[in-house]
Amino acid sequence: MTRTLTDSLAYICNTIKKSFIHAFFLTAALIVYYAQNPLDSTVNQIMYSFFIGLSCVEIFVLYFTNRSKLFFSFLLGLMALLFLNWLKKINGGELIHCAQYIWLGFLLPLNFMFFYFLSPQNWKSNYGFFIFLLILMQMALIEHIDGLFLKLPDDLVLGKEILLWNIFVWLIFFSVLVIHMSIKNTLINIGLFYAELAFFLSFIYADDASAVAIFSLTFVVIIFGVTLVDIYSQYKYDVLDNVYSYDAYLSHTAGKFPFKYTVGVFILDNREKILEQIGHKKTLILEQMLIDKLISEIPEDTKIYRYKENEFLMVFKNEDARHTYEYCDNIRRSVAASEFVLISKKSLKVTISICVSEKTRKYIDARVVAERGHNGLQKGGRFNNNIVTKAG
């Protein structure tokens, strides 16, 4: 129980640490709004110009980073903010009781939630095109939606209750995000939460030019920061397989690991045959399930890295080759005895082969340690699968 409580506190502290910079920007925006509102029209125009300029840069960057979760979340927010600005111009008076605004308030949380739970895959694909088309269709529908309200009672359309129901939908949306962050507090999840909270404030205060300028700019700034962090993390972290990259391995062994450690280089046996049998996408899912299985089997301070396209590293701190061999052999047996059930309900039994390579005074360089494990794995795998060997 003590260990569980300690882990929970560590997780909460980690979430707070990752939230600090986003919370700072959002808090600063709130302070500026409540302390200086209304802002001078010139200041509003300058902030709006920054919003447009930074949005153009962000779209350009997101186009090349090719990550659907960030791309569609930002694109939806940007299009909605521009749409709100257009609604203000054509309505002239109060915006929050017009039909388009009300429908936008119901549809946006649903769309944001869908994009929030998208897997970190490429958006430049057929499904990406259809999602983009769906966004355009919704905006077009909202633009011509006045007629759908003609049959409803006036008090249901024009009263403050509509705005309250909008807020209620948004609160449900943010509650779901908080629950999800309590399970998976990635930098992107946390960043999107604060960015969409800033967007919500710009939406609720849509009639206030200063609020829209401040909070929409905050939305773009937070998303832009998250994007830069994501670009950096792509060099250090393999998002698809939820493991660290080889560059991260070299960085960690140079500065974060003790002098003594041992590497277990492992590979999924018969990967080419599995690819032919279930396809590339399901093979990636299978690898992710395998990684999750290994994480549950190895000691807590052991980290997993991607070494080559089909090979991974397990780094055991303060362990020699003999103890690491025992760990790896137990892991090999556990994987061989397990069944992996894919989305299609099809179960597979797979095996892995591992080669143990110890850092010694003779082989002190992290690259050499990994390479010796790779060479031993290739040599042993020529004739056998489901084995554990030691680097020669």
Side-chain angles (χ1 to χ4, degrees), residues 30-37:
L30 287 167
I31 291 173
V32 169
Y33 174 68
Y34 286 109
Q36 299 296 326
N37 188 52

Side-chain angles (χ1 to χ4, degrees), residues 334-384:
S334 178
V335 170
S338 302
E339 286 191 356
F340 297 87
V341 181
L342 300 176
I343 297 175
S344 60
K345 306 296 183 182
K346 183 176 183 179
S347 63
L348 288 175
K349 292 184 72 69
V350 299
T351 60
I352 59 173
S353 294
I354 310 172
C355 183
V356 174
S357 176
E358 183 181 0
K359 176 187 175 183
T360 63
R361 294 189 181 276
K362 182 178 180 181
Y363 304 107
I364 197 170
D365 186 84
R367 292 181 178 84
V368 176
V369 176
E371 186 177 351
R372 291 181 70 239
H374 164 75
N375 293 336
L377 189 65
Q378 295 299 312
K379 187 183 298 183
R382 291 176 185 173
F383 309 103
N384 296 291

Side-chain angles (χ1 to χ4, degrees), residues 26-65:
L26 185 58
T27 303
L30 287 167
I31 291 173
V32 169
Y33 174 68
Y34 286 109
Q36 299 296 326
N37 188 52
L39 298 176
D40 185 78
S41 59
T42 304
V43 177
N44 284 340
Q45 189 61 42
I46 291 173
M47 295 183 75
Y48 188 73
S49 299
F50 271 112
F51 164 75
I52 294 296
L54 195 57
S55 296
C56 293
V57 175
E58 176 68 3
I59 285 291
F60 179 79
V61 173
L62 283 174
Y63 178 83
F64 288 102
T65 55

Side-chain angles (χ1 to χ4, degrees), residues 194-331:
Y194 282 96
E196 286 158 11
L197 194 57
F199 177 89
F200 168 70
L201 292 171
S202 68
F203 177 83
I204 292 299
Y205 294 116
D207 282 329
D208 190 330
S210 296
V212 173
I214 293 170
F215 295 122
S216 60
L217 181 59
T218 305
F219 168 77
V220 179
V221 168
I222 293 176
I223 290 282
F224 187 72
V226 172
T227 303
L228 294 180
V229 173
D230 184 53
I231 292 172
Y232 174 77
S233 67
Q234 287 183 39
Y235 293 99
K236 296 295 182 182
Y237 200 78
D238 189 325
V239 180
L240 292 177
D241 274 322
N242 198 29
V243 294
Y244 289 98
S245 67
Y246 180 62
D247 289 336
Y249 161 74
L250 297 177
S251 174
H252 290 175
T253 52
K256 296 184 178 181
F257 282 179
F259 180 80
K260 182 180 180 181
Y261 62 85
T262 305
V263 167
V265 183
F266 69 93
I267 188 171
L268 177 64
D269 292 330
N270 300 315
R271 192 176 189 274
E272 293 76 14
K273 292 182 180 179
I274 294 174
L275 272 171
E276 294 177 3
Q277 183 182 357
I278 64 176
H280 178 70
K281 185 175 181 180
K282 289 184 179 178
T283 302
L284 291 178
I285 295 173
L286 176 62
E287 281 188 342
Q288 178 61 70
M289 295 170 69
L290 177 62
I291 295 296
D292 293 340
K293 170 70 176 174
L294 295 183
I295 290 174
S296 68
E297 297 283 343
I298 58 181
E300 288 185 8
D301 61 346
T302 301
K303 297 188 181 299
I304 298 180
Y305 304 83
R306 179 180 287 281
Y307 179 43
K308 296 183 181 295
E309 182 181 359
N310 303 330
E311 294 180 19
F312 299 86
L313 305 171
M314 292 181 289
V315 182
F316 297 83
K317 301 177 184 178
N318 295 310
E319 294 288 355
D320 57 20
R322 182 173 64 85
H323 286 104
T324 301
Y325 184 93
E326 294 174 0
Y327 277 128
C328 291
D329 197 47
N330 290 332
I331 291 169

